Amino acid sequence: MRSQLLLAILPFTQAIRIVQSNDDGWAEINIRTFFDTLSKAGHDVVLSGPAENQSGTSSSDAAPTTVDSDGCEFSSCPSGSPPTGANATNPRLNYVNSFPVTSIKTGIDTTGPKIWNGGKAELATTGPNVGSNIGIQVPFSGTVGAAVFAAHDRQIPAIAFSGKSGDPTAWDQPTPLYSKVYADLALNITSRIISSGTPYLPNDVWLNVNFPDVSSTKCSNTNQFQFILTRINTGVFSEKDTEWCGTDRLPTETSVSLKSGCYVSISVGDAADKTTVDAARQKEVLAKLQPILSCLP
């Protein structure tokens, strides 16, 4: 079933509290586009991202510090700014001058509850990252690190989104096509998980989602994409996966990324070690995602 079929149910998806972060920085256009898309869908969103690009920082965590002489990325805050801060006109857009894990932790523990009058985040999303996070890249990704922290340390269901296209781009530049497409696809997946009911994901589970290249001539419309259930690591010596598409071994993210076509890989990750979860929890997530999943040809 293709993603356009899911679009019909979006208006009926329950609006929830969502905390956002990434590792490319709070002012990068991908996360800002997704923030706008989630907000327009009716969700109560708080963005808490790093003040600077923190790609490749994995699960590092340190107390925020005063912003140095270079200021925040893309001149989004001046030098000497406090360790944490918010957009002058939108308090839901927040920076944390530290790592992605620290940023989402601040959003979950401090910023979100303040804006939500003591309410807690019901779902965490990270990205869409600029560049893929598949296979051996996963343990080193700050976007993944932030999602795993939410799922493992705060027991908040989390989804990490990454897209192959693009370069770091400021929030105030014209929105690239790939940012719009990735935000729409990410909303589709998020909405499917929410509409499946609570618990949105099994305990200690996060989703690792990777979008392929997008251009004006390739994969330019959400209707062209197919969602494929995958695994993170190769699994040569792993236990069997849940049965799907006639097999008990899911394709890897890497193998899907190498195929010609508009394929989105969705892996069910173990937040305890950033690898693929056991078949039982895969099966739980499969039941939630099945309406939008396809099998590889």
Side-chain angles (χ1 to χ4, degrees):
M1 186 176 293
R2 301 297 180 86
S3 59
Q4 72 266 29
L5 299 183
L6 182 59
L7 293 175
I9 71 167
L10 293 183
F12 306 103
T13 300
Q14 176 188 1
I16 66 169
R17 294 183 297 273
I18 298 176
V19 62
Q20 271 191 299
S21 195
N22 68 352
D23 70 8
D24 296 307
W26 79 305
E28 210 284 321
I29 202 162
N30 275 1
I31 195 170
R32 292 295 183 91
T33 304
F34 190 30
F35 172 88
D36 291 340
T37 300
L38 286 170
S39 299
K40 288 176 182 177
H43 296 296
D44 201 348
V45 191
V46 170
L47 188 158
S48 182
E52 296 281 356
N53 188 324
Q54 294 285 348
S55 295
T57 53
S58 188
S59 293
S60 298
D61 183 16
T65 58
T66 300
V67 176
D68 63 23
S69 59
D70 293 330
C72 293
E73 67 175 351
F74 308 125
S75 301
S76 55
C77 79
S79 63
S81 292
T84 62
N87 180 279
T89 59
N90 188 348
R92 293 174 178 274
L93 300 173
N94 295 266
Y95 75 79
V96 177
N97 193 33
S98 187
F99 298 109
V101 165
T102 315
S103 299
I104 201 165
K105 183 201 298 186
T106 303
I108 292 169
D109 294 350
T110 306
T111 313
K114 181 179 179 181
I115 291 176
W116 295 322
N117 295 317
K120 297 181 180 179
E122 296 169 274
L123 182 72
T125 66
T126 60
N129 188 73
V130 180
S132 301
N133 281 309
I134 59 175
I136 61 174
Q137 300 169 317
V138 168
F140 307 102
S141 165
T143 293
V144 169
V148 167
F149 173 85
H152 183 68
D153 294 81
R154 293 297 185 268
Q155 292 79 53
I156 298 170
I159 311 174
F161 296 102
S162 301
K164 193 172 183 180
S165 290
D167 297 298
T169 303
W171 88 100
D172 57 354
Q173 297 301 302
T175 306
L177 173 64
Y178 66 82
S179 287
K180 297 176 183 178
V181 172
Y182 292 161
D184 286 343
L185 291 170
L187 177 63
N188 282 355
I189 296 169
T190 302
S191 298
R192 177 62 243 167
I193 289 296
I194 295 170
S195 65
S196 73
T198 56
Y200 297 130
L201 292 172
N203 186 51
D204 229 14
V205 161
W206 59 287
L207 300 185
N208 193 43
V209 178
N210 278 273
F211 304 124
D213 273 322
V214 166
S215 71
S216 59
T217 59
K218 176 188 176 185
C219 304
S220 60
N221 189 299
T222 55
N223 295 342
Q224 298 172 290
F225 290 81
Q226 296 182 66
F227 299 123
I228 308 299
L229 190 66
T230 53
R231 58 180 295 115
I232 298 169
N233 45 306
T234 59
V236 175
F237 302 106
S238 302
E239 297 293 329
K240 294 178 180 180
D241 293 319
T242 187
E243 291 191 10
W244 175 240
C245 296
T247 179
D248 58 14
R249 178 58 74 208
L250 298 174
T252 64
E253 300 168 333
T254 303
S255 67
V256 170
S257 73
L258 295 174
K259 287 188 174 294
S260 176
C262 305
Y263 298 117
V264 178
S265 64
I266 307 178
S267 295
V268 188
D270 190 331
D273 59 11
K274 302 181 184 179
T275 63
T276 305
V277 296
D278 54 88
R281 285 183 287 175
Q282 285 177 341
K283 185 176 181 179
E284 289 184 57
V285 177
L286 170 60
K288 290 173 170 289
L289 291 175
Q290 190 165 341
I292 64 169
L293 293 177
S294 297
C295 297
L296 287 173

